[in-house]
Amino acid sequence: MLYEKRFGPYFAEPVVAGLDENDKPYLATMDLIGATSSTEDFVVAGTCAGNLYGMCETLYKKDMGQEELFETLAQALLASVDRDALSGWGGVVHIITKEGIISRELKGRQD
């Protein structure tokens, strides 16, 4: 979505995550001009996407359990946003399963 109001455009990098009709994970993202990318393992977006991509490549393994996946996501997210001044002070991790969605809030450094 590109929208210009007064000073410049608003940019969005949406991430689409869920389960398909066979209960298999589906992940996709779009870049700032709308080009889509889907994958089988992980997608990243945002101002710290470069840092996140490197952390996810290092920490991600296939077929992780819910707790191991949450811990991996938390470590990757917090390590990445600590190195990017525009990213904020934490994040929210959503784990999507057949039974439902588990959401947990992460608190980052506040300095």
Side-chain angles (χ1 to χ4, degrees), residues 11-15 29-32 44-53 77 79-90:
F11 295 109
E13 291 182 75
V15 173
T29 188
M30 289 184 205
D31 65 8
L32 294 173
V44 298
T47 60
C48 68
N51 295 340
L52 267 172
Y53 198 80
L77 185 64
S80 298
V81 300
D82 278 350
R83 291 169 176 78
D84 184 49
L86 298 175
S87 290
W89 293 335

Side-chain angles (χ1 to χ4, degrees), residues 41-60:
D41 45 12
F42 60 85
V43 296
V44 298
T47 60
C48 68
N51 295 340
L52 267 172
Y53 198 80
M55 289 301 298
C56 289
E57 279 186 321
T58 302
L59 300 174
Y60 178 80

